[in-house]
Amino acid sequence: MINGIVLRKIDYKETSYILNILTEDGYETLFNNGVKKKNSNKLAISEPITLISYIRSEGRYKTLKEGTVINEFKNIKENIEILSIASVMTEYVILLEDANIGDKKLYNLFKNSLEELNQKEIDGELTLFRFELILLNYIGISPRKEHLIETYNASEELINSLTSIMNNESSINRSLLREFFKNYYEREGGIVLKSKKLYLDLVR
């Protein structure tokens, strides 16, 4: 059995989906045939932001043969703000498929972050900030203090807030960090997220 996190599902013909999945060994695209038929037992394992265990066929066009849900991340999906954060993380992962990040490293970061978000009474935004900061390091554009001051005219408050993220401290300037990560990813990485705009509209 292979463990993976469903990133998205795409309609295929009348009764099927194409699934994009992140595993420890990388990204996979699978056909999930007949899943839309009445009483299909494969519907739950097709939902994005779901950790599943599955068996697939081999060959050029891989097909999901059977699978089970390990974690549906129910608490995430019942909270609109937390779901919005998880959607931002998912879009990062989708867009970075060709970024040559170590597959197991990215998988573990994503999985651990989702498990953290799934806890009740969690500070979801702090989890997102930490995810974004670690991800910058993984793709080789981790923010350096000197660069931030010279290029972004970064304030001491922003720099202190970035440092506080990894110490799990809540005494951070959230407004500064929201704008920083949005602008930094766009400028340094060329990464623009539709889900990030929706999230920022939600929390402003």
Side-chain angles (χ1 to χ4, degrees), residues 6-7 20 36-37 56 61 72-73 107 111 121-122 148 163 169 182:
V6 180
L7 301 175
N20 296 134
K36 297 179 189 176
K37 292 180 180 178
R56 56 165 167 73
Y61 299 106
E72 64 178 329
F73 299 114
Y107 172 82
K111 175 176 172 288
E121 307 299 328
I122 189 68
L148 293 177
T163 302
E169 298 175 12
K182 175 181 177 295

Side-chain angles (χ1 to χ4, degrees), residues 5-9 19 44-51 72-73 77 83 90:
I5 302 168
V6 180
L7 301 175
R8 61 182 170 185
K9 62 181 181 181
L19 302 181
I45 58 177
S46 301
E47 289 305 306
I49 313 177
T50 302
L51 177 62
E72 64 178 329
F73 299 114
K77 294 167 184 176
L83 178 58
T90 303

Side-chain angles (χ1 to χ4, degrees), residues 91-105:
E91 190 174 358
Y92 275 124
V93 173
I94 291 171
L95 291 179
L96 290 170
E97 180 174 356
D98 298 321
N100 294 319
I101 300 172
D103 296 321
K104 188 171 184 179
K105 188 164 59 173

Side-chain angles (χ1 to χ4, degrees), residues 140-177:
I141 53 173
S142 182
R144 295 178 293 104
K145 181 176 180 179
E146 297 78 9
H147 179 59
L148 293 177
I149 293 173
E150 292 175 6
T151 305
Y152 292 87
N153 195 27
S155 65
E156 196 66 31
E157 186 175 15
L158 172 59
I159 293 169
N160 289 338
S161 292
L162 286 168
T163 302
S164 297
I165 290 172
M166 298 312 296
N167 297 328
N168 210 29
E169 298 175 12
S170 57
S171 57
I172 54 179
N173 189 315
R174 293 171 185 264
S175 295
L176 279 178
L177 287 172

Side-chain angles (χ1 to χ4, degrees), residues 35-141:
V35 68
K36 297 179 189 176
K37 292 180 180 178
K38 189 176 180 179
N39 299 324
S40 171
N41 61 359
K42 295 195 292 184
L43 191 60
I45 58 177
S46 301
E47 289 305 306
I49 313 177
T50 302
L51 177 62
I52 65 173
S53 182
Y54 62 93
I55 296 174
R56 56 165 167 73
S57 67
E58 297 298 332
R60 182 177 179 185
Y61 299 106
K62 296 180 173 63
T63 301
L64 194 149
K65 296 172 65 176
E66 62 178 270
T68 58
V69 173
I70 298 175
N71 194 338
E72 64 178 329
F73 299 114
K74 182 179 180 181
N75 291 333
I76 290 177
K77 294 167 184 176
E78 291 179 346
N79 183 313
I80 186 62
E81 184 173 328
I82 298 300
L83 178 58
S84 182
I85 289 170
S87 298
V88 171
M89 293 180 179
T90 303
E91 190 174 358
Y92 275 124
V93 173
I94 291 171
L95 291 179
L96 290 170
E97 180 174 356
D98 298 321
N100 294 319
I101 300 172
D103 296 321
K104 188 171 184 179
K105 188 164 59 173
L106 179 60
Y107 172 82
N108 286 333
L109 172 63
F110 188 40
K111 175 176 172 288
N112 292 340
S113 297
L114 290 178
E115 289 173 345
E116 189 172 303
L117 286 178
N118 199 49
Q119 299 173 23
K120 292 186 176 181
E121 307 299 328
I122 189 68
D123 186 338
E125 190 165 53
L126 188 57
T127 300
L128 174 60
F129 290 152
R130 188 161 48 246
F131 175 90
E132 290 178 307
L133 190 58
I134 294 172
L135 199 58
L136 285 175
N137 181 54
Y138 286 176
I139 60 180
I141 53 173

Side-chain angles (χ1 to χ4, degrees), residues 91 95 182 185-187 189-196:
E91 190 174 358
L95 291 179
K182 175 181 177 295
Y185 268 96
E186 289 180 5
R187 183 169 178 176
I191 297 170
V192 180
L193 305 182
K194 294 180 180 178
S195 58
K196 189 65 176 286

